[in-house]
Amino acid sequence: MAAVAANLPNRCLLCQQDIIQYSAAKPHTGVCQTCLVAGLYQQEVCLGCGKSMPLLQVYCGHCQHIEPMLVIAPCSYHQGLGELIAGIKYQQQCAPLAALVQVLAVRGMDLAARGLIQLPQVLIPVPLHRNRLKQRGFNQAWLIAKELSAQIGIPMDDSLLVRCVDTKAQAGLNGKQRRLNCADAFTLQRDNPYQRVALIDDVVTTGTTVNEISRLFAAHYTHVQTWCLARAEAPGLL
């Protein structure tokens, strides 16, 4: 099987060009380096709302007053790589997942090295309800968390947080509908032993889901960040 896989075409899903391999130890698949780098943030962004900023800092002026949850993402969903991320979720096209997780890992570790964030103690994938998991067959947030854990050495805990309500899909809902849809949809299955956690998801849009989860951890005085492959910012922020 490995020999067959090695002889299959390895082309970028965005530009269709053959992917140049820079390391034999960890083959690069799904997206070429040129398309990957082109899709990353080309300027500094606020870790609260995603707004472009001239200098690297945690929050923009507006977010400094409200201090929203930190969202760690390497790119905007709207600037090139969103097609790959949607392919993972809706088409089970996971070839670019490791490369996308790698740029997320680099982003998070760089922010930590610069003193803008503290690394979490644990990675917690945003869970699917068992009905949705059965229907889809996999949870992309779990796959991302597993790969990220392997790359940066922070453990994953997929047993603490569960989705207890089978909510509607968030796509197509406005902000108020999203909040109502996610209200009381999650629960903690046991006592929370952590002081710093990172919620892992594929995309953060309005932040409704992760904010609802954060409310559970806030009751335990736990600091919550979100790490995701991309951020779908409000129009005009970039």
Side-chain angles (χ1 to χ4, degrees):
M1 183 65 71
V4 172
N7 289 300
L8 290 175
N10 184 13
R11 295 191 177 93
C12 175
L13 294 172
L14 294 178
C15 70
Q16 308 306 316
Q17 298 298 309
D18 289 338
I19 297 176
I20 299 173
Q21 298 299 328
Y22 297 98
S23 170
K26 192 174 181 63
H28 201 67
T29 62
V31 59
C32 70
Q33 193 70 15
T34 300
C35 288
L36 184 63
V37 172
L40 301 179
Y41 284 127
Q42 303 299 313
Q43 68 288 310
E44 304 300 343
V45 297
C46 172
L47 301 184
C49 67
K51 180 180 180 180
S52 297
M53 299 191 300
L55 298 174
L56 177 64
Q57 56 188 25
V58 178
Y59 292 125
C60 65
H62 173 73
C63 287
Q64 286 178 3
H65 297 290
I66 56 177
E67 296 190 354
M69 184 190 302
L70 299 176
V71 176
I72 314 305
C75 64
S76 168
Y77 187 82
H78 306 297
Q79 291 190 318
L81 299 179
E83 178 182 339
L84 299 179
I85 298 167
I88 294 171
K89 183 174 183 177
Y90 298 113
Q91 300 170 9
Q92 301 184 28
Q93 179 51 270
C94 294
L97 188 141
L100 294 171
V101 171
Q102 184 176 41
V103 293
L104 169 58
V106 169
R107 171 71 167 162
M109 299 303 285
D110 179 63
L111 291 172
R114 294 172 183 238
L116 274 76
I117 67 169
Q118 273 191 297
L119 289 177
Q121 296 168 297
V122 69
L123 310 177
I124 299 181
V126 173
L128 290 177
H129 189 271
R130 61 181 180 275
N131 294 341
R132 185 68 58 84
L133 182 60
K134 183 178 180 180
Q135 179 185 28
R136 186 179 296 169
F138 71 103
N139 178 5
Q140 71 280 1
W142 188 92
L143 295 177
I144 294 164
K146 181 181 180 183
E147 177 67 26
L148 184 61
S149 176
Q151 291 195 20
I152 66 177
I154 295 176
M156 175 181 73
D157 186 338
D158 60 358
S159 63
L160 174 61
L161 177 70
V162 297
R163 190 185 294 251
C164 54
V165 178
D166 190 4
T167 57
K168 299 178 182 178
Q170 294 282 73
L173 301 181
N174 61 34
K176 182 178 180 180
Q177 291 170 331
R178 285 171 180 256
R179 288 190 294 274
L180 291 174
N181 191 43
C182 281
D184 301 318
F186 301 90
T187 188
L188 300 179
Q189 293 211 102
R190 63 178 193 276
D191 290 340
N192 168 38
Y194 308 114
Q195 289 79 50
R196 300 185 312 279
V197 305
L199 302 177
I200 309 300
D201 211 350
D202 55 346
V203 181
V204 167
T205 306
T206 64
T208 304
T209 299
V210 292
N211 284 329
E212 178 66 20
I213 296 171
S214 177
R215 186 177 61 83
L216 294 175
F217 285 101
H220 299 268
Y221 305 100
T222 300
H223 179 265
V224 181
Q225 307 168 5
T226 295
W227 290 41
C228 56
L229 297 184
R231 180 169 201 156
E233 305 89 354
L237 282 181
L238 290 179

